[in-house]
Amino acid sequence: MRRVSQLALFCLTLLSALSMEAQSVRARAPDTFEEMHATPTTIDSPYWYAFEFKLGPYSPAGGNSAFRDTFGDDRGWLVALELDFTLWHIPYVGTINAGAGWGWANYDAKAFNAAGARSGEKTEFTIYPLSALAVLRVDALARLTGVPLLFAGKVGYEFVRWSAETGGKSDASGLNKGLRWGAQVGLELDFFEPDAARTLDQEYGINHTFLFFEFFRSQTKATGDRSFAIGFGAIF
Amino acid sequence: MPRKVMKWLAPLLFVLTSLAWPAFGSAQTTTANAISMGLRVFADGREFKNETRVFVGKSQCTSGVNFAFTASGYGMAVPVLELWASSSAGKDCSDAANRSSPNNQPPVCWLVASETNVQPATSTTLKAEAIELFSQDGKACDEVTNLPYYAYLVPLASPTQPGTAMAPPAITGVTILRAVFTLYTQTPKAPTAVSGRSGETTLGISWKKASGADVNTSYRIYYDVGQGEGDAGVECGSGGLVAGQDPKDNDTIDYKVEKTEGGSISGSLVEIGDLVAVGVVTVDGGGNRSALSEIVCIEREQTDGFYDRYERANGNGLEKCSLHAPGKASWSGWGSLTMLALALVARRRRTT
């Protein structure tokens, strides 16, 4: 392991030296076609945040059959946002982040009358999942090999604020808590338009954008589910 | 950062300003060398809030309601201010040709009233009966329906003489004011397919709009909760509602106004188990009313929402609490989130 570190240090030193040499070469006027059209050195701006917008099906377990009896197969749409803050950049791996998520999903159906038939009144169940997460983002493939794939693993605690109402009148509301974890694979979009991606970074500090698929599980009692989401993200 | 914001903001402001400029131009009648005039329209003393959309019902059209057009302006005196009317947007009374009588034919527009020597910084009122405004084209108030009529206040250097082959042109630089009237002279039709939905907190009513309804149509839901012999055709209500008759507005029958197809009445108005007779009346933009639609009976009944069923099924997964009752709520989660956010902000400040 120590040998690997030493080798890595040597390579870095060598790369730095070569890079400095290249800079000094560019200090003079270009005198060949290749020099004139050499790709300019680009440096990523520092990044500290990741933002995600995602949506997917979500159906709370409910705790008993009432949810299924009332809302049937309503899988809602769970719309969610997540903001991660980078705590540590791990060389050649990625970043460790602290994240906070917020979501919303609503389920509605006609309430039942005394005979057990559907009445004209609407009954609703709304959830607002809030999560505090530790997020490992692995971008080594994209950074070191050019393969535009990103990976992320998330684990944390979730607080689900919920409310139930019928006919516009609140029946109950509350807060459920539990573990939440997820795994994500993302496709970095920089390779579609590398120049535009660079401009986005230089002008606005958005280093990378990506589309992703995330599988996750919320283990909050009665409001949890195992589902997936697709979304768009940005690292800045 | 401010430079980046400005980079976005400047073109955005430019685009917004460009888009908004025509709107400003049309709303504001003052220009550097023009006389500005404003118009207010009254009917029997009641002012219409928007003179570009004045709705007139059959009763107003036929009963000789008095309209008043009050123009106020500043800049310079106007020798003559004439009120002209027409029944089509294509007959623009600001065009002298439409006020002219070539070969002694009646002009396309008709002259309703006039006022001379209109002074600046004063209000001038020209009055006209509805019949003068709307019936000069040979159509009586009960023949036309949903038709637009236009009234123009035209500033002139000299009064128009009847039978003039070429009417005098309007004074240039002075705003020609125009009011648009929509006449509703037909009795609207009652809504169809009225149906009710029982409920505990709300009783739902839906219907289909009748032909002829437009964006200015509204509906009145009449409901009757009495314990009498029942309204005509149904075994509920107290007898106050009769399908096909206008219930009018009175103290015994309540109503609720809706703008769209379908509506509801509050369940708290009646007891659980009560039957309510419900019918709907169409009211068009001019205030004309249809007869009462068919009547339906709706029962206020106990309903089971999701949470009622959840509790009955011995649900214990949902942890009930209320943000309005903090004693029952668990604040540890919210506290953790707040602490995390503060820690992130603090770290970010240290690193920048």
Side-chain angles (χ1 to χ4, degrees):
Chain A
M1 188 66 186
R2 195 174 168 189
R3 223 178 250 178
V4 173
S5 303
Q6 282 175 342
L7 185 64
L9 192 63
F10 172 75
C11 288
L12 271 178
T13 312
L14 188 64
L15 279 173
S16 304
L18 287 173
S19 170
M20 280 190 291
E21 180 61 20
Q23 291 300 322
S24 66
V25 166
R26 284 196 191 102
R28 62 177 169 74
D31 55 7
T32 66
F33 179 84
E34 287 73 19
E35 277 185 35
M36 179 89 79
H37 294 84
T39 309
T41 304
T42 55
I43 301 170
D44 277 354
S45 65
Y47 53 85
W48 287 99
Y49 300 98
F51 170 79
E52 292 177 2
F53 170 76
K54 52 197 167 188
L55 74 164
Y58 191 86
S59 185
N64 58 34
S65 62
F67 186 89
R68 299 278 174 265
D69 291 348
T70 310
F71 301 113
D73 292 329
D74 189 349
R75 305 262 304 155
W77 277 108
L78 177 66
V79 183
L81 304 171
E82 184 182 313
L83 183 67
D84 295 350
F85 175 75
T86 302
L87 299 173
W88 187 28
H89 290 263
I90 312 171
Y92 308 113
V93 177
T95 56
I96 287 182
N97 305 264
W102 177 87
W104 170 88
N106 175 267
Y107 309 87
D108 64 69
K110 295 294 182 194
F112 294 92
N113 61 19
R118 296 281 183 179
S119 71
E121 207 153 59
K122 194 161 81 167
T123 182
E124 292 181 80
F125 184 58
T126 308
I127 57 170
Y128 304 91
L130 292 155
S131 51
L133 300 163
V135 182
L136 170 67
R137 291 190 178 277
V138 179
D139 60 357
L141 270 182
R143 299 288 81 76
L144 301 177
T145 71
V147 177
L149 290 179
L150 307 170
F151 303 93
K154 306 177 181 183
V155 63
Y157 208 65
E158 186 160 72
F159 308 86
V160 179
R161 172 79 185 157
W162 60 266
S163 65
E165 65 175 54
T166 304
K169 189 177 143 195
S170 176
D171 292 327
S173 60
L175 188 73
N176 280 33
K177 306 175 284 289
L179 192 68
R180 179 193 170 98
W181 57 266
Q184 183 187 96
V185 58
L187 175 69
E188 200 170 79
L189 301 175
D190 298 12
F191 74 93
F192 281 116
E193 282 284 349
D195 290 342
R198 291 268 57 81
T199 306
L200 206 58
D201 186 11
Q202 287 159 14
E203 295 282 323
Y204 304 104
I206 298 172
N207 299 67
H208 308 286
T209 53
F210 57 99
L211 297 175
F212 63 86
F213 172 89
E214 182 174 309
F215 175 80
F216 66 94
R217 183 171 182 192
S218 168
Q219 293 181 319
T220 56
K221 198 174 177 185
T223 52
D225 188 23
R226 183 164 35 198
S227 188
F228 67 91
I230 54 172
F232 171 81
I235 293 170
F236 56 101
Chain B
M1 194 65 177
R3 273 184 66 196
K4 281 182 186 171
V5 172
M6 283 307 294
K7 204 169 180 179
W8 274 97
L9 206 56
L12 190 66
L13 281 174
F14 174 76
V15 171
L16 286 176
T17 310
S18 306
L19 289 174
W21 189 252
F24 282 125
S26 62
Q28 193 174 332
T29 51
T30 306
T31 57
N33 300 311
I35 297 173
S36 171
M37 298 181 76
L39 175 65
R40 298 168 71 188
V41 180
F42 299 82
D44 280 348
R46 183 175 67 88
E47 182 172 10
F48 290 96
K49 287 184 179 169
N50 185 355
E51 70 279 357
T52 60
R53 288 182 64 185
V54 179
F55 302 120
V56 179
K58 184 174 182 177
S59 61
Q60 289 174 309
C61 188
T62 54
S63 65
V65 64
N66 289 302
F67 285 94
F69 300 83
T70 300
S72 53
Y74 51 90
M76 67 178 198
V78 173
V80 181
L81 190 62
E82 291 184 343
L83 175 64
W84 288 82
S86 76
S87 60
S88 165
K91 300 168 185 173
D92 182 357
C93 303
S94 62
D95 182 352
N98 287 330
R99 288 180 275 117
S100 304
S101 306
N103 304 318
N104 283 325
Q105 293 296 310
V108 170
C109 299
W110 56 92
L111 180 61
V112 180
S114 68
E115 186 67 48
T116 57
N117 196 21
V118 175
Q119 293 300 313
T122 58
S123 291
T124 302
T125 300
L126 283 84
K127 293 181 178 174
E129 283 194 6
I131 203 81
E132 296 175 291
L133 275 173
F134 307 127
S135 295
Q136 293 293 307
D137 59 350
K139 293 174 184 167
C141 286
D142 54 358
E143 286 181 6
V144 297
T145 182
N146 301 15
L147 280 180
Y149 275 74
Y150 301 85
Y152 293 79
L153 283 174
V154 186
L156 299 164
S158 58
T160 305
Q161 299 300 325
T164 307
M166 190 60 206
I171 298 173
T172 55
V174 182
T175 314
I176 294 178
L177 301 171
R178 189 182 79 160
V180 184
F181 296 83
T182 302
L183 257 64
Y184 290 90
T185 56
Q186 304 291 305
T187 302
K189 292 174 182 166
T192 58
V194 179
S195 63
R197 294 187 308 276
S198 61
E200 183 177 334
T201 57
T202 54
L203 307 180
I205 303 107
S206 59
W207 59 85
K208 285 186 177 170
K209 65 181 179 186
S211 58
D214 62 17
V215 294
N216 302 311
T217 300
S218 63
Y219 302 91
R220 288 194 177 196
I221 303 170
Y222 286 86
Y223 55 97
D224 183 15
V225 192
Q227 300 293 325
E229 305 237 328
D231 291 314
V234 291
E235 293 179 351
C236 60
S238 63
L241 294 177
V242 180
Q245 291 185 11
D246 186 346
K248 307 292 184 188
D249 294 341
N250 59 54
D251 294 336
T252 55
I253 305 294
D254 290 316
Y255 68 87
K256 186 185 172 196
V257 178
E258 295 284 354
K259 276 300 288 180
T260 55
E261 285 175 85
S264 63
I265 54 177
S266 170
S268 62
L269 297 167
V270 295
E271 299 294 323
I272 296 279
D274 273 353
L275 282 169
V276 186
V278 178
V280 187
V281 165
T282 303
V283 182
D284 68 18
N288 305 310
R289 299 161 58 98
S290 74
L292 187 68
S293 69
E294 58 187 303
I295 301 168
V296 294
C297 278
I298 311 174
E299 182 182 3
R300 186 189 172 198
E301 59 182 359
Q302 194 89 41
T303 58
D304 277 351
F306 160 67
Y307 196 76
D308 298 319
R309 292 176 81 86
Y310 172 81
E311 276 197 318
R312 263 210 310 281
N314 298 318
N316 60 0
L318 291 172
E319 292 171 30
K320 194 174 173 183
C321 70
S322 168
L323 287 180
H324 303 294
K328 295 179 184 174
S330 165
W331 290 99
S332 58
W334 301 104
S336 306
L337 280 177
T338 309
M339 292 301 291
L340 178 67
L342 288 174
L344 291 178
V345 170
R347 182 181 167 101
R348 182 77 180 111
R349 283 192 171 174
R350 277 205 304 275
T351 53
T352 52

